């Protein structure tokens, strides 16, 4: 079922948590709401669920207005960051809850409920734990119970609020890949909130980047990573270098190196900021072209699949970070304190922007 | 490995602290209570049985246990309501209301008794209103229930309040998301979580009501066979220099208190085991 968010606003006192949000989530897609804390992503999710009411705007489920519907009527599955399992019920009772509270006419018979619960336990790979209490489970297991409980009522939409936020790193990676596979299997429309860019880029079909109650960009993971629409998105997704430069004779100058072919209008000597991803910065012993900048190696982190090099630009004294392959690192065999030249392969300029 | 009472600790003094604790508890609790049993032992079984099964004593047993039970039940219901209001809502004067709950604790019970008697007497503020609809409060079992409700209120509120405070609001939201009505959420999610605290509060209020003397003797009127509570029976026996008779009743009350303590502990053990 598709979800349409139209002009949603929400105010907490003087603070605008959501400022005119428009968003369309097509049927069957898994969408990530990504942003720093305070960006309004959780508020938006809770408004879609009906746990929070918006000050203005509409929520449409499959084209029909659901704005005034209560949580109960919306038939959504909601997974909370801290699981929110019923502590006094066993895993079985937790999952069966949604079916057991149905009005008598719609309530499935006992055997059917038991079958459904066991089928869900198989789906979340927790067979044999039906009689345990939530306190006797690990964090990852609890979150899977929470997911099974949400799925038990056959919701039309699955909403997850930082579903992996309370888990440790290894379980988190495991569980998010599992969620992706589960989604491919069930094909249910899903929205999840996260502040972890890696999680959003890996799991979601589409990423909605939010900042200060507004949507900065909507796109596939590749789109938002490769073509960020704003400095904020650039900053939030992945390691990025900020080079402060000025516009001179219609050309941009950073650290007295010219960046040919890039012009930003006629505002002479206007300040500008160039954004370069760490892996888009080449490191050489000699200057490659006019856009090369002299820098000094400060530190080398040679752990992992690539090598990270901390540098300081010589003219402006600005810090920079380059990421090169292990092979390239062996070829160069750099040492700390050495002078090198860095050349950006791809630069994106935005006007004078302060984060 | 050598087994030892002593555990390594950065703060020394295990032997001294334990020794003092045992001595202190013996002097203050164990020795005085054991004399009750010793004194009662002066009676033969037949005498003991005759004392506690005389009609007047039996009537006060019924009254004390009955009134305490009703008062504890009323307190459980309204204590839950008070705790709910104090935890869930914000309103002006909340701090004052919160402090008022403790008043029955702090007030000398005799003061409470006199105040309640004045108000509930037939010419009193509330008593005259009740009299108009034909209900007599002071000097009847109803008056005793009122006094016992008054002194037992803080127990339920103060045991339920912290549990209610820690109750995960997300659990209620999860329940609503799963299609439960408000009543279903309350009955199936909130109430079971509060149940151990409610039962503990009930048992505490009941135990306290059973032993209450000061606030009741004024409002009860102390009519034989009608409004004599157990502690009063003990007083009466003592005034007649029937020490053995007084301790016989005391033994029964003591055993009842022990049973309640045991019940409370069982409850806490049971709820801790489920949520640990």
């Amino acid at each position: 079922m598709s979800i349409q968010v139209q002009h949603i606003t929400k105010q907490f006192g003087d603070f605008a948590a959501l400022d005119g949000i428009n968003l369309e989530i097509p049927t069957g897609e898994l969408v990530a709401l990504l942003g720093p804390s305070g960006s309004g992503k959780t508020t938006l999710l809770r408004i879609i669920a009906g746990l929070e009411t918006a000050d203005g705007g509409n929520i449409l489920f499959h084209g029909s207005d659901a704005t005034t519907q209560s949580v109960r009527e919306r038939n959504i599955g909601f997974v909370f960051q801290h699981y929110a399992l019923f502590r006094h019920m066993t895993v079985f009772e937790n999952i069966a809850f949604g079916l057991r509270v149905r009005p008598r006419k719609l309530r499935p018979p006992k055997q059917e409920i038991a079958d459904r619960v066991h089928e869900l336990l198989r789906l979340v790979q927790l067979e044999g734990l039906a009689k345990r209490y939530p306190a006797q489970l690990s964090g990852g297991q609890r979150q899977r119970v929470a997911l099974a409980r949400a799925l038990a009522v056959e919701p039309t939409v699955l909403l997850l609020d930082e579903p992996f936020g309370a888990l440790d790193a290894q379980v988190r990676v495991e569980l998010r890949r599992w969620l992706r596979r589960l989604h491919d299997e069930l094909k249910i429309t899903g929205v999840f909130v996260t502040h972890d860019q890696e999680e959003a880029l890996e799991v979601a079909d589409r990423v909605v980047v939010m900042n200060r109650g507004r949507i900065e960009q909507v796109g596939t993971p590749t789109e938002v990573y490769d073509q960020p629409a704003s400095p904020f998105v650039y900053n939030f997704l992945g390691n990025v270098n900020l080079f402060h430069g000025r516009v001179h004779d219609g050309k941009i100058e950073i650290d007295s190196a010219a960046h040919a072919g890039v012009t930003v209008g006629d505002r002479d000597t206007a300040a500008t900021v160039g954004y370069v991803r760490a892996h888009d910065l080449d490191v050489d012993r000699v200057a490659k072209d006019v856009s090369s900048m002299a820098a000094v190696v400060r530190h080398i982190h040679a752990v992992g699949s690539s090598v990270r090099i901390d540098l300081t630009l010589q003219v402006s004294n600005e810090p920079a970070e380059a990421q090169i392959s292990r092979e390239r690192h062996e070829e160069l065999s750099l040492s700390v304190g050495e002078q090198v030249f860095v050349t950006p392969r791809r630069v994106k300029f935005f006007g004078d922007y302060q984060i | 490995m050598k087994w030892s009472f002593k555990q390594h600790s950065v703060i020394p003094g295990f032997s001294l602290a334990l020794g003092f604790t045992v001595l202190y508890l013996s002097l203050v609790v164990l020795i005085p209570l054991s004399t009750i049993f010793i004194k009662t032992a002066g009676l033969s079984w037949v005498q003991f049985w005759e004392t506690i099964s005389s009609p007047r004593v039996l009537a006060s047993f019924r009254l004390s246990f009955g009134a305490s039970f009703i008062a504890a039940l009323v307190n459980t219901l309204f204590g839950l309501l008070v705790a709910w209001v104090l935890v869930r809502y914000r309103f002006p004067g909340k701090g004052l209301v919160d402090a008022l709950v403790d008043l029955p604790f702090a007030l000398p019970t005799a003061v409470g008794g006199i105040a309640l008697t004045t108000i509930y007497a037939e010419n009193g503020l509330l008593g005259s209103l009740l009299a108009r609809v034909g209900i007599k409060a002071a000097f009847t079992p109803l008056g005793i229930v009122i006094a016992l409700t008054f002194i037992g209120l803080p127990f339920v509120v103060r045991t339920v309040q912290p549990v209610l405070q820690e109750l995960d609001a997300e659990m209620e939201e999860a329940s609503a998301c799963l299609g439960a009505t408000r009543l279903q959420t309350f009955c199936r999610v909130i109430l079971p979580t509060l149940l151990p605290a409610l039962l503990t509060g009930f048992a505490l209020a009941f135990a306290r009501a059973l032993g209450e003397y000061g606030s009741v003797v004024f409002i009860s009127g102390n009519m034989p066979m009608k409004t004599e509570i157990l502690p009063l029976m003990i007083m009466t026996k003592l005034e007649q220099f029937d020490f053995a008779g007084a301790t016989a009743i005391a033994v029964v009350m003591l055993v009842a208190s022990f049973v309640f303590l045991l019940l409370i502990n069982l409850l806490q053990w049971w709820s801790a085991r489920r949520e640990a």
Side-chain angles (χ1 to χ4, degrees), chain A residues 220-233:
Chain A
T220 64
T222 345
E223 271 166 21
V224 291
Y225 189 82
D226 287 339
Q227 293 139 33
S230 68
F232 175 82
V233 180

Side-chain angles (χ1 to χ4, degrees), chain A residues 46 72 85-86 88 101 135 149, chain B residues 171 173 179-180 184 188 192 276:
Chain A
R46 289 173 62 84
R72 291 186 54 222
L85 293 175
F86 306 130
H88 59 283
V101 294
R149 182 179 68 176
Chain B
M171 240 159 64
E173 289 179 347
Q184 281 173 323
R188 284 168 176 252

Side-chain angles (χ1 to χ4, degrees), chain A residues 46 51 71-72 76 78 80-82 84-89 97-98 100-102 133 135-136 149-150 153, chain B residues 166-168 170-182 184-185 188-190 192-193 274-276:
Chain A
R46 289 173 62 84
L51 291 169
V71 202
R72 291 186 54 222
I76 45 123
F78 201 100
F80 295 85
Q81 181 179 4
H82 299 288
L85 293 175
F86 306 130
R87 279 176 299 173
H88 59 283
M89 295 184 201
F97 185 85
R100 284 181 176 170
V101 294
R102 281 189 186 171
Y133 283 97
Q136 299 167 313
R149 182 179 68 176
V153 291
Chain B
E166 272 178 41
L167 200 73
D168 196 358
E170 282 188 350
M171 240 159 64
E172 290 159 47
E173 289 179 347
S175 170
C177 286
L178 291 165
T181 61
R182 284 172 208 179
Q184 281 173 323
T185 302
R188 284 168 176 252
V189 176
I190 299 172
T193 322
R274 250 183 7 160
E275 296 192 0

